[in-house]
Amino acid sequence: MRPLFLIGFMGAGKTTVGRIVADRLGRPFTDLDRWIEESTERSIDELFEQRGEDGFRDIERRALEVSAHLPDAVIACGGGIVTDEDSRRLLEESGDVVYLAVNAEEALARVGGEYTGRPLLSGADPVGAAALLQLRELLYEEAADFTVDTVGHGPQSVADRIVEWVVMEP
Ligand code: S3P
């Protein structure tokens, strides 16, 4: 079976929901950021510091290329994966793509006010988060085969919608 990619802004719940979906479908789960950290032996923060955002996107694209060959996998992607054109093409060609939609307010509330190792999201900057989300929203929508609105919905109910879509998908 083709991989199932979860995309969406930071704080959308991709990792939490992805684990539940994988568990329910009996499929393996991979979190692309954690996989990058383990294989490079560096934190996302360190990679941004040492390589800049462009360097991180190159690493992320290579990780996506490898993960695209994992049979059956449910893969939680980093929130910025859609900003890279080649990664967008890979997503489209390699698997089914589910977009977990969230607004900036709820994303920040979920991620919390403290720094959580996401160099592009400071809990103290709602205006910056909203602007970044606005820049990406169309990219998420265009990449998606299926969209779930997560605002006001817990991970279990979001996972229910995704599992239903996977099972019913023609
Ligand atoms: C990023 C999102 C992060 C991580 C990196 C960059 C982004 O992943 O890949 O900090 O550009 O939105 P999560 O969406 O899992 O937090």
Side-chain angles (χ1 to χ4, degrees), residues 10-23:
M10 294 167 274
K14 301 174 298 277
T15 302
T16 309
V17 169
R19 282 187 203 288
I20 301 171
V21 169
D23 194 46

Side-chain angles (χ1 to χ4, degrees), residues 10 14 33 44 48 56-57 60 78-80 118-120 136:
M10 294 167 274
K14 301 174 298 277
D33 280 339
I44 300 294
F48 265 77
F56 175 74
R57 297 296 167 214
E60 188 175 49
R118 292 174 172 93
L120 297 182
R136 292 180 176 176

Side-chain angles (χ1 to χ4, degrees), residues 28-168:
F29 174 74
T30 299
D31 180 281
L32 219 53
D33 280 339
R34 298 296 80 77
W35 193 76
I36 289 170
E37 289 187 323
E38 279 163 26
S39 46
T40 62
E41 298 185 336
R42 290 186 173 53
S43 68
I44 300 294
D45 252 347
E46 286 169 335
L47 290 169
F48 265 77
E49 262 170 43
Q50 292 166 4
R51 311 278 176 109
E53 182 173 352
D54 287 350
F56 175 74
R57 297 296 167 214
D58 290 342
I59 296 169
E60 188 175 49
R61 184 186 333 104
R62 288 202 292 273
L64 180 64
E65 272 163 12
V66 175
S67 75
H69 296 287
L70 298 174
D72 299 336
V74 175
I75 299 161
C77 300
I81 203 151
V82 293
T83 62
D84 182 272
E85 194 182 343
D86 291 333
S87 291
R88 289 202 298 276
R89 191 176 31 77
L90 264 168
L91 287 170
E92 188 187 346
E93 288 172 357
S94 325
D96 296 319
V97 182
V98 174
Y99 168 33
L100 275 60
V102 68
N103 58 35
E105 203 184 13
E106 185 143 339
L108 283 177
R110 288 182 197 165
V111 167
E114 285 170 25
Y115 185 67
T116 55
R118 292 174 172 93
L120 297 182
L121 188 70
S122 153
D125 181 15
V127 177
L132 188 60
L133 175 56
Q134 200 184 7
L135 281 176
R136 292 180 176 176
E137 248 163 359
L138 193 62
L139 297 175
Y140 291 134
E141 284 164 13
E142 284 177 357
D145 296 306
F146 180 61
T147 298
V148 193
D149 185 8
T150 72
V151 177
H153 301 285
Q156 292 289 349
S157 100
V158 173
D160 283 346
R161 300 277 318 279
I162 297 172
V163 169
E164 191 182 323
W165 177 74
V166 169
V167 172
M168 306 288 281

